[in-house]
Amino acid sequence: MAFVRVRDVSYRFGKRLALEGVNFSLAKGGFAFITGPSGAGKTTLLRILHGDLPLMHGHAVVAGFSLNAMARSELPLLRREACLIFQDYRILPERTVFENVALPLEVRGLPRARVAARVAEMAGALDLAKVAHERCDNLSGGERQRVAVARALAVGPQLILADEPTGNLDPDAALRLMDVFRQANTHGTAFIVATHDERLPGMIPGARLLHLEAGRLTATAEGGDGEDD
Ligand SMILES: Nc1ncnc2c1ncn2[C@@H]1O[C@H](COP(=O)(O)OP(=O)(O)OP(=O)(O)O)[C@@H](O)[C@H]1O
Ligand SMILES: [Mg+2]
């Protein structure tokens, strides 16, 4: 089965058509950017792939799971392999950075020492070591954004869906974040990254470029890792 395959996917919020006839594929370990203006449907597409919004029309396979054939009880299995980094972070504000990143590792039953080591590794990679024991509601927007990234990367999913992950980062921090993504990609993690930032795709050589305009894909430039349709 394909790793990610989207076929003729459309989505409506009431009368508003948010996605129309979207088609693309991504191979295991691939990297794709979804660009496009505000309201183009980027978040809607990521939420469908994450099983957050129902697949109303069309067919989709994500991390080897068919969204058409999947029971709701299988959603946690999908989300183990396809992590969404939300545009608004959705970290726990009253918990520390450490606690937020540790939580999904603890849920998976990792021993405490391994949890601590993995959290430290992620905090180092994302420049969060200094604030590791701060509550998240004391952090800046960019720091919170990096906590959300650290939490997703820590568990080593097959696919990361990232919604505007550099939205609150300065250009240097954005560059460093793309470096972290590139490294994880080198180790086999696939990425689909939604962004307004036209500079990001250039930071990942060979990435696939998908451009959404008013719910339609208007360009699908093939990188080296796209699957043919
Ligand atoms: N919960 C909702 N209810 C109704 N309409 C919605 C909802 N969420 C999104 N929409 C509409 O669907 C369309 C696509 O929205 P979406 O959030 O996917 O865009 P986006 O490309 O992520 O935009 P941005 O770059 O601003 O994050 C927009 O017209 C938006 O108003
Ligand atoms: Mg969005």
Side-chain angles (χ1 to χ4, degrees):
M1 193 183 278
F3 182 66
V4 175
R5 175 164 291 165
V6 172
R7 283 289 165 277
D8 199 22
V9 166
S10 299
Y11 194 86
R12 275 179 190 285
F13 290 102
K15 282 189 185 155
R16 183 174 296 163
L17 194 56
L19 291 176
E20 193 176 0
V22 171
N23 290 290
F24 73 92
S25 308
L26 188 73
K28 205 162 193 260
F31 206 122
F33 285 95
I34 303 172
T35 58
S38 186
K42 303 181 296 295
T43 296
T44 304
L45 181 55
L46 293 183
R47 290 184 65 197
I48 290 172
L49 298 181
H50 190 242
D52 235 23
L53 291 174
L55 187 59
M56 283 178 173
H57 184 270
H59 295 265
V61 171
V62 179
F65 291 84
S66 163
L67 298 189
N68 299 83
M70 204 175 62
R72 278 205 77 77
S73 59
E74 288 179 278
L75 259 186
L77 296 177
L78 165 72
R79 290 178 181 168
R80 259 181 188 232
E81 296 308 335
C83 271
L84 175 58
I85 301 170
F86 290 90
Q87 195 163 7
D88 56 3
Y89 326 137
R90 305 207 188 168
I91 53 178
L92 302 169
E94 74 289 358
R95 304 282 189 91
T96 67
V97 171
F98 185 99
E99 288 165 344
N100 267 280
V101 180
L103 195 63
L105 299 167
E106 288 163 353
V107 166
R108 276 159 219 225
L110 253 72
R112 271 173 70 172
R114 282 196 48 208
V115 170
R118 185 71 176 148
V119 175
E121 186 187 343
M122 288 296 116
L126 288 151
D127 296 328
L128 291 167
K130 271 193 273 183
V131 293
H133 297 287
E134 285 288 341
R135 279 168 55 125
C136 286
D137 50 9
N138 292 336
L139 302 183
S140 74
E143 286 164 342
R144 289 178 207 206
Q145 188 145 43
R146 283 180 279 127
V147 173
V149 171
R151 184 180 57 182
L153 279 173
V155 296
Q158 290 191 56
L159 174 65
I160 298 255
L161 306 163
D163 199 356
E164 207 67 65
T166 62
N168 271 298
L169 302 184
D170 61 54
D172 266 2
L175 203 69
R176 288 200 296 276
L177 181 65
M178 282 302 112
D179 248 359
V180 172
F181 279 13
R182 187 166 48 206
Q183 266 179 39
N185 184 241
T186 308
H187 290 102
T189 308
F191 283 82
I192 300 179
V193 178
T195 185
H196 289 114
D197 188 342
E198 304 283 339
R199 294 164 311 169
L200 287 195
M203 297 180 193
I204 306 288
R208 187 172 186 146
L209 212 56
L210 308 168
H211 187 71
L212 270 177
E213 291 272 351
R216 289 181 151 270
L217 273 186
T218 57
T220 57
E222 294 276 346
D225 52 21
E227 263 188 359
D228 277 332
D229 295 339

